[in-house]
Amino acid sequence: MSKKKVLFIINPISGGTNKEGLYKLIEDFCNENSFEYNLLKTTGKQDSQSIRQEIDTFNPSLVVAGGGDGTIKLVAEELLGTTIKLGILPLGSANGLASELGIPEDWKTNLALLNESKSKRIDTIRVNGELCLHLSDVGFNADLIKEFEEEGTRGKLGYAISFVKQLSKRKKSTFQIEINGESYSYKAEMIVLANASKYGTGAVVNPRCDMHDGLFEVCVFMPLPWHKFFHLTWHSFIGRLEESEYFAIHQGKDVTITSKKSRTLQVDGEVIGKTKKVKAEVLKGALEIVVPA
């Protein structure tokens, strides 16, 4: 009987933590379970090419991506259209997709999932040509991520500092949304293209989430006065955003969003840049992911 072949792709700087203990844990786990494995560390240079080459050479049945949502997205792009399963080892500052799927952050508990062979197919979204597994947005959160990257401080503390800074810089734009043959106009601070329900912080932005229904949600956050901010935040964390007058939601298989002013776009934690037009479409059941039983 041939050994199970597992390829680990680890972002060594994700989350700002030392990974030496993780590498030893992976080695011990694979030896104990008679897994044949390779480990590839991302460098930020030609990672897609390196991952593709390693998959072609090693021919694994499972690829485990260790990092934040950006790393998961990078690896998943190379698995679309294949029968290879994706494992997720959450190592980022905000591990949104892992949180959504109930995937544990504890290294030993996480690796144990590889023995359970439980997986599920999920939809993905193509946003301006970029693969989105979790959440994409234009506006406030994308500006926040851009600030976070420019500050260069990794980890949850750096993210919190950037969040506070962006609160004082909130901007609104007029967006035109074309979906399901209908057109809507909103003044908004942020529009989220949601395959999932919440950010890694636990804040729910999509109360209608179903990751395998062949649809995604367009969630609109309209300008609100300061005294309503914590009220909306509370509605978000308890999953009752649709009760707020400052929130709107639409479901569909594809959407076009335009604005007169360029706004920052981010996809799964990666800043794509400023744009006046966002086009997105669902890719139904495009990816098979290892999940807890």
Side-chain angles (χ1 to χ4, degrees):
M1 184 176 178
S2 60
K3 290 184 177 181
K4 187 173 187 176
K5 299 179 75 172
V6 183
L7 172 61
F8 292 87
I9 298 170
I10 307 295
N11 180 346
I13 65 171
S14 59
T17 58
N18 187 288
K19 308 294 188 304
E20 291 304 318
L22 174 61
Y23 304 145
K24 182 64 168 62
L25 190 65
I26 289 173
E27 179 184 5
D28 291 345
F29 174 83
C30 290
N31 288 337
E32 288 169 7
N33 292 277
S34 299
F35 289 175
E36 185 178 350
Y37 83 99
N38 276 357
L39 192 151
L40 175 69
K41 300 174 187 178
T42 60
T43 64
K45 296 180 180 179
Q46 298 183 317
D47 285 324
S48 295
Q49 182 178 334
S50 298
I51 292 168
R52 193 177 310 118
Q53 184 175 358
E54 190 69 29
I55 289 173
D56 290 343
T57 303
F58 187 56
N59 193 29
S61 59
L62 171 65
V63 176
V64 178
D69 286 331
T71 304
I72 312 305
K73 168 184 176 298
L74 176 72
V75 175
E77 186 73 70
E78 304 305 323
L79 301 185
L80 294 180
T82 75
T83 58
I84 301 172
K85 295 178 183 179
L86 172 67
I88 296 174
L89 182 57
L91 303 173
S93 303
N95 304 293
L97 183 61
S99 175
E100 187 77 39
L101 296 170
I103 294 172
E105 293 190 10
D106 177 76
W107 294 349
K108 286 186 178 180
T109 307
N110 186 288
L111 289 174
L113 296 181
L114 306 186
N115 273 326
E116 296 177 6
S117 299
K118 170 72 175 175
S119 62
K120 68 187 293 185
R121 284 213 160 266
I122 67 165
D123 302 332
T124 65
I125 313 171
R126 186 67 72 181
V127 181
N128 280 15
E130 295 282 339
L131 179 65
C132 171
L133 309 179
H134 183 232
L135 298 168
S136 300
D137 51 61
V138 287
F140 176 80
N141 187 64
D143 290 334
L144 164 60
I145 293 173
K146 185 172 183 288
E147 169 103 24
F148 177 60
E149 289 183 352
E150 289 173 350
E151 286 291 326
T153 306
R154 292 189 169 268
K156 289 181 171 59
L157 176 60
Y159 193 82
I161 292 171
S162 296
F163 178 78
V164 172
K165 286 184 178 180
Q166 278 302 315
L167 278 180
S168 63
K169 303 177 185 178
R170 291 185 298 154
K171 304 173 186 175
K172 62 184 178 183
S173 297
T174 300
F175 295 94
Q176 200 75 20
I177 298 175
E178 308 285 340
I179 189 168
N180 300 326
E182 301 287 339
S183 181
Y184 305 87
S185 182
Y186 293 100
K187 280 189 177 179
E189 293 182 354
M190 177 171 74
I191 295 182
V192 182
L193 301 171
N195 191 41
S197 68
K198 59 190 175 185
Y199 289 114
T201 57
V204 176
V205 292
N206 176 20
R208 298 188 191 177
C209 174
D210 183 339
M211 297 186 76
H212 40 78
D213 61 356
L215 301 169
F216 64 91
E217 286 70 44
V218 180
C219 307
V220 183
F221 290 82
M222 290 168 263
L224 74 163
W226 277 100
H227 69 275
K228 290 282 188 178
F229 180 79
F230 291 105
H231 181 74
L232 183 70
T233 302
W234 172 247
H235 274 77
S236 171
F237 275 97
I238 64 174
R240 294 168 64 177
L241 272 173
E242 289 185 79
E243 295 179 7
S244 173
E245 62 187 295
Y246 300 102
F247 177 81
I249 187 169
H250 303 278
Q251 286 180 305
K253 294 181 179 180
D254 57 79
V255 69
T256 300
I257 302 169
T258 54
S259 62
K260 290 184 178 179
K261 295 181 180 179
S262 293
R263 295 302 305 268
T264 307
L265 167 69
Q266 71 86 16
V267 177
D268 283 353
E270 178 185 352
V271 176
I272 306 303
K274 288 186 174 291
T275 184
K276 293 181 180 180
K277 187 173 186 178
V278 177
K279 290 180 69 70
E281 62 177 341
V282 74
L283 305 176
K284 181 171 172 57
L287 198 63
E288 189 167 3
I289 297 184
V290 175
V291 295

